[in-house]
């Protein structure tokens, strides 16, 4: 007796629709993400898309979240492996920078979609992506190499990466500077990393940032004591 074909669950159908839309967006641009084409590619009826995802904006939001979540998951695994294998934190940060630039340039439509502040602010995947960058920067702080706060370093790296991608995407191919992203990256490092030998204030700030990075792991202190120590160190950072 032949078994009846399996019936997709609601979640499986939604995933198939989102993946189909992501493929159309990546290969043909936003204009290709129509309800009809997505339905044909996913092998569903158009009303199914409306029922599961609402209008086209809802579909695009789901695509953005799906793509970002997949990309961030891969980055998080790399950061975890780098930490476990004691990879140089600067090498790990550079690898993350390169992957972000390559992703943005290879997926211009997705990059613009993912750069929409209204989507990023409410995106769990975007928050996870920032956490991955924070983890990379935290490892540099633990090594005593930061001369700015971790928060400022993360902000500078994010701003520089998005700006570099946006600039390259809006520059005609014949005018593009292939070394632009590397130059921007080096400029950011010059702003956030300590030099040797460093001025006394820079050494104090680097030591403060490094100590702040390890405070949460000091189990000998209570949570209240750790919070108090973090507050003191934040005040020192602001004063230097």
């Amino acid at each position: 007796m032949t078994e009846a074909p399996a019936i997709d669950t609601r979640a499986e159908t939604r995933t198939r629709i989102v993946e189909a839309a992501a493929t159309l967006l990546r290969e043909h641009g936003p204009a290709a993400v129509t309800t009809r084409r997505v339905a044909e590619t996913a092998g569903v009826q158009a009303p199914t898309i409306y029922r599961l995802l609402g209008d086209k904006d809802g579909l695009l939001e789901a695509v953005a979240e799906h793509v970002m979540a997949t990309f961030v998951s891969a980055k998080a695994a790399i950061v975890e492996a780098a930490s476990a294998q004691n990879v140089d934190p600067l090498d790990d940060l550079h690898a993350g920078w390169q992957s972000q630039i390559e992703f943005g340039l290879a997926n211009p439509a997705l990059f613009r979609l993912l750069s929409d502040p209204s989507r990023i602010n409410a995106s769990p995947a975007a928050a996870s992506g920032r956490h991955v960058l924070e983890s990379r920067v935290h490892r540099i702080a633990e090594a005593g190499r930061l001369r700015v706060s971790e928060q400022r370093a993360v902000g500078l790296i994010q701003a520089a990466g998005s700006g570099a991608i946006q600039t390259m995407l809006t520059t005609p191919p014949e005018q593009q500077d292939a070394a632009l992203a590397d130059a921007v990256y080096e400029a950011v490092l010059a702003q956030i990393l300590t030099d040797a030998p460093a001025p006394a204030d820079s050494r104090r700030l680097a030591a403060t940032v490094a100590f702040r990075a390890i405070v949460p792991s000091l189990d000998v202190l209570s949570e209240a004591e750790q919070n108090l120590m973090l507050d003191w160190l934040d005040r020192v950072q602001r004063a230097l």
Side-chain angles (χ1 to χ4, degrees), residues 107-150:
N107 303 277
L110 284 170
F111 171 75
R112 293 187 180 98
L113 184 62
L114 295 171
S115 299
D116 183 343
S118 65
R119 289 190 171 94
I120 288 179
N121 292 339
S123 167
S128 296
R130 183 179 176 87
H131 179 69
V132 169
L133 177 56
E134 289 171 344
S135 297
R136 284 186 156 119
V137 170
H138 184 71
R139 292 188 65 223
I140 296 173
E142 287 182 316
R145 293 298 312 276
L146 278 188
R147 66 176 179 184
V148 299
S149 69
E150 292 181 48

Side-chain angles (χ1 to χ4, degrees), residues 193-207:
L193 296 183
T194 58
D195 298 318
D201 282 350
S202 293
R203 292 197 302 271
R204 293 190 190 101
L205 181 55

Side-chain angles (χ1 to χ4, degrees), residues 215-216 218-232:
V215 167
L218 299 178
D219 296 335
V220 68
L221 300 178
S222 68
E223 183 178 355
E225 290 169 333
Q226 288 179 4
N227 289 335
L228 181 58
M229 181 68 73
L230 290 173
D231 180 58
W232 287 344

Side-chain angles (χ1 to χ4, degrees), residues 86-111:
N86 291 320
V87 173
D88 186 295
L90 289 178
D91 290 342
D92 183 38
L93 180 65
H94 189 224
W97 172 273
Q98 288 182 313
S99 69
Q100 187 73 29
I101 298 295
E102 290 168 359
F103 175 83
L105 296 181
N107 303 277
L110 284 170
F111 171 75

Side-chain angles (χ1 to χ4, degrees), residues 13 16-17 35 38-40 42-51:
T13 301
R16 196 164 74 250
I17 292 169
T35 302
V38 172
E40 290 175 354
V44 300
Q45 298 296 315
T48 303
I49 296 178
Y50 292 116
R51 186 172 69 253

Side-chain angles (χ1 to χ4, degrees), residues 93 97 133 137 152-162 185 188 192:
L93 180 65
W97 172 273
L133 177 56
V137 170
R152 182 170 180 79
V154 169
L156 285 169
I157 294 167
Q158 280 192 314
S162 296
Y185 181 72
V188 172
I192 69 174

Side-chain angles (χ1 to χ4, degrees), residues 20-21 23-38 41 56 59:
T23 299
L24 289 171
L25 180 65
R26 182 174 59 251
E27 296 180 355
H28 304 289
V33 187
T34 65
T35 302
R36 181 180 62 80
R37 290 194 66 177
V38 172
T41 304
K56 183 176 179 178
L59 177 59

